[in-house]
């Protein structure tokens, strides 16, 4: 470990220069981010980044992206092309080294992504703030291998924090944690939230087959709930998995790709699990973001919740109305969102999400227009969905 740390630090001299360059740029444009220090922090925490073949590529990506961002013409162009004010809470990065590690997502080819393409996309929809989150499989690429999972979570968070540092007015990010390894997930959450300044935590609907209501994860939720900053948990769907004869097997019961169909049922399965297990009602300091206006969850809500009795029904519906927020990613307006409105979910709980760059090409504008032209929302309500509801949820966590 010591020899690799020394090697990384030698290799990181170039990245130290990048970090120094970032601090020389005006604070309202690019905030300084010391990549070398994050490597030292990781080593001191016992996180062995040498286990990952992609570490060198990740550091090179950060260096290259920072060099592009430091270009005066690029910065001026970015500053002058976007005059909107929307906030996108469901949007993704796809670092080249991560795409090489994860060439398909939910059975679909993982898309290409660049920061400049993302900024151009935002400009087209008048989005001025993106909260980057990792799509599936997040850090769970190496099932059953804790050390690799822990290292990958740290590398993802370092890389995303570096992207945010390049353009902090336009970008914030959710922290990835190495669940189902609870003690390591607590360490990573603390480091990412307190040191890297992520604005919340992203999980998946299940981690190595454990859904979020599983009692094995209670220690993690207890830690999150104990924080005074009332953390936000953004839950992204993934493929269902089961462990059979000691091996993890994808448990999609249909012939269709998980990314096309199963993800929506995964969200329903996850929030059913969070409801039945008591996680939603027990940990009262946690706020949640459900993807794709809850996927299929509204369709099963009454059948599920009424089996718990009137008192629990009332309690859970109060949680859905106050501590769960529902993003719009996908073609969810004007049709799918009616499932939420039918339960009188307040419009103050609705947020903008785009799913960029994972949605099929050519669908973003149609999905966005389906939302902003929905006749059931007046101009003030739509303004709240596009921006104000997110500002109220995240508060000072966001750089605005």
């Amino acid at each position: 470990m010591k020899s690799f740390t020394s090697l990384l630090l030698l290799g990181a001299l170039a990245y130290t220069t990048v970090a120094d360059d970032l601090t020389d740029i005006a604070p309202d444009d690019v905030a300084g981010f010391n990549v070398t220090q994050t490597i030292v922090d990781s080593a001191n925490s016992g996180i062995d980044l040498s286990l990952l073949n992609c570490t060198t590529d990740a550091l090179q990506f950060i260096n290259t992206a920072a060099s592009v961002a430091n270009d005066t013409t690029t910065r001026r162009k970015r500053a002058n092309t976007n005059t909107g004010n929307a906030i996108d809470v469901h949007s993704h990065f796809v670092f080249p080294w991560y795409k090489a590690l994860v060439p398909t997502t939910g059975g679909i080819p993982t898309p290409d992504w660049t920061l400049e393409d993302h900024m151009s996309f935002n400009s087209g929809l008048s989005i001025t703030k993106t909260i980057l989150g990792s799509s599936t499989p997040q850090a769970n690429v190496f099932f059953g291998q804790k050390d690799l999972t822990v290292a990958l979570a740290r590398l993802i968070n370092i890389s995303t924090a570096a992207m945010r540092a390049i353009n902090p007015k336009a970008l914030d990010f959710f922290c990835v944690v190495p669940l189902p390894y609870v003690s390591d997930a607590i360490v990573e959450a603390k480091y990412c939230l307190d040191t890297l300044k992520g604005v919340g935590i992203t999980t998946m609907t299940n981690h190595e087959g454990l859904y979020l209501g599983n009692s094995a994860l209670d220690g993690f939720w207890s830690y999150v709930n104990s924080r005074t900053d009332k953390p936000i948990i953004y839950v992204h769907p993934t493929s269902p998995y089961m462990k059979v004869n000691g091996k993890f097997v994808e448990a999609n019961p249909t012939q269709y790709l998980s990314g096309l169909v199963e993800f929506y049922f995964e969200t329903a399965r996850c929030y059913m699990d969070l409801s039945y297990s008591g996680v939603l009602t027990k940990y009262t300091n946690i706020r949640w973001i459900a993807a794709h206006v809850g996927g299929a969850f509204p369709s099963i809500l009454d059948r599920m919740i009424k089996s718990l009795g009137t008192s629990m029904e009332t309690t859970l519906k109060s949680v859905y109305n106050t501590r769960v927020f529902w993003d719009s990613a996908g073609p969810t307006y004007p049709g799918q969102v009616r499932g939420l409105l039918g339960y009188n979910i307040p419009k103050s709980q609705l947020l903008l999400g785009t799913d960029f760059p994972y949605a099929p090409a050519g669908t973003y504008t149609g999905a966005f227009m389906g939302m902003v032209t929905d006749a059931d929302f007046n101009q003030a309500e739509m303004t709240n969905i596009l921006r104000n509801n997110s500002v109220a949820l995240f508060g000072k966590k966001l750089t605005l």
Side-chain angles (χ1 to χ4, degrees):
M1 177 63 183
K2 180 179 291 186
S3 62
F4 179 73
T5 300
S6 300
L7 178 62
L8 270 182
L9 290 176
L10 287 172
L13 290 176
Y15 305 113
T16 303
T17 301
V18 171
D20 290 342
D21 289 344
L22 291 175
T23 61
D24 289 340
I25 300 174
D28 63 347
D29 183 23
V30 177
F33 181 72
N34 193 324
V35 178
T36 302
Q37 186 59 52
T38 65
I39 296 170
V40 174
D41 291 343
S42 299
N44 289 340
S45 298
I47 298 175
D48 188 355
L49 296 176
S50 71
L51 295 173
L52 298 169
N53 293 331
C54 55
T55 295
T56 300
D57 289 340
L59 293 176
Q60 183 58 51
F61 170 73
I62 293 170
N63 182 44
T64 301
S67 297
V68 171
N70 286 344
D71 179 77
T72 302
T73 301
T74 300
R75 297 202 310 274
R76 185 181 299 114
K77 180 181 179 181
R78 180 184 298 137
N80 292 339
T81 57
N82 197 342
T83 58
N85 66 355
I87 298 174
D88 181 2
V89 305
H90 184 152
S91 200
H92 302 295
F93 54 81
V94 187
F95 306 134
W97 61 266
Y98 189 79
K99 179 177 178 178
L101 197 62
V102 186
T104 62
T105 304
I108 301 169
T110 301
D112 292 320
W113 178 91
T114 69
L115 180 58
E116 292 307 312
D117 283 347
H118 206 138
M119 295 299 96
S120 178
F121 168 80
N122 284 357
S123 182
L125 295 183
S126 297
I127 296 167
T128 53
K129 169 66 72 174
T130 288
I131 306 177
L132 293 171
S134 180
S135 185
T136 177
Q138 298 188 357
N140 293 102
V141 176
F142 310 101
F143 275 41
Q145 300 184 62
K146 185 184 80 167
D147 290 346
L148 287 172
T149 305
V150 169
L152 184 55
R154 177 60 58 91
L155 192 59
I156 291 171
N157 288 333
I158 291 172
S159 299
T160 318
M163 291 302 97
R164 190 269 307 280
I166 288 170
N167 194 348
K169 277 193 171 181
L171 301 171
D172 272 305
F173 74 100
F174 290 106
C175 301
V176 169
V177 291
L179 290 174
Y181 309 107
V182 169
S183 60
D184 300 282
I186 291 171
V187 169
E188 190 61 29
K190 180 175 176 57
Y191 179 75
C192 188
L193 292 172
D194 296 342
T195 301
L196 299 183
K197 303 301 181 183
V199 299
I201 297 167
T202 180
T203 71
M204 296 184 295
T205 45
N206 78 81
H207 290 260
E208 298 190 4
L210 285 184
Y211 285 87
L212 301 185
N214 193 294
S215 60
L217 306 182
D218 282 352
F220 180 72
W221 300 128
S222 180
Y223 164 74
V224 173
N225 191 66
S226 72
R227 292 182 59 96
T228 58
D229 54 353
K230 293 187 175 181
I232 297 159
I233 302 294
Y234 155 59
V235 182
H236 195 278
T238 188
S239 299
Y241 286 92
M242 298 178 64
K243 198 169 187 179
V244 180
N245 296 326
K247 295 182 179 180
F248 291 98
V249 178
E250 184 172 345
N252 179 354
T254 75
Q255 62 180 315
Y256 306 107
L257 299 176
S258 290
L260 293 177
V261 177
E262 184 60 28
F263 280 9
Y264 308 106
F265 297 104
E266 264 291 292
T267 296
R269 196 174 292 121
C270 175
Y271 278 90
M272 176 274 295
D273 181 56
L274 287 169
S275 299
Y276 273 152
S277 67
V279 169
L280 287 181
T281 54
K282 180 178 180 180
Y283 300 109
T284 57
N285 279 335
I286 301 176
R287 281 86 53 80
W288 305 81
I289 297 177
H292 312 116
V293 297
F297 183 62
S299 298
I300 68 166
L301 197 156
D302 258 347
R303 185 175 181 86
M304 174 205 75
I305 203 171
K306 289 186 181 299
S307 66
L308 299 175
T310 302
S311 177
M312 184 55 70
E313 177 182 359
T314 300
T315 300
L316 279 170
K317 285 188 174 178
S318 175
V319 174
Y320 305 147
N321 288 352
T322 57
R323 290 195 290 109
V324 181
F325 294 77
W326 316 81
D327 80 48
S328 67
T332 55
Y333 287 68
Q336 188 181 333
V337 72
R338 294 299 181 277
L340 291 179
L341 299 180
Y343 289 103
N344 296 315
I345 299 293
K347 294 175 180 178
S348 60
Q349 302 301 111
L350 304 178
L351 309 173
L352 170 66
T354 65
D355 217 357
F356 185 84
Y358 281 86
T363 65
Y364 297 106
T365 299
F368 185 80
M369 293 306 296
M371 182 178 67
V372 298
T373 61
D374 191 327
D376 279 358
F377 296 85
N378 61 40
Q379 183 174 350
E381 291 168 338
M382 189 52 58
T383 297
N384 290 340
I385 294 172
L386 293 175
R387 179 181 178 85
N388 296 337
N389 293 347
S390 290
V391 172
L393 171 61
F394 287 92
K396 294 181 179 180
K397 292 181 174 69
L398 293 180
T399 303
L400 296 173

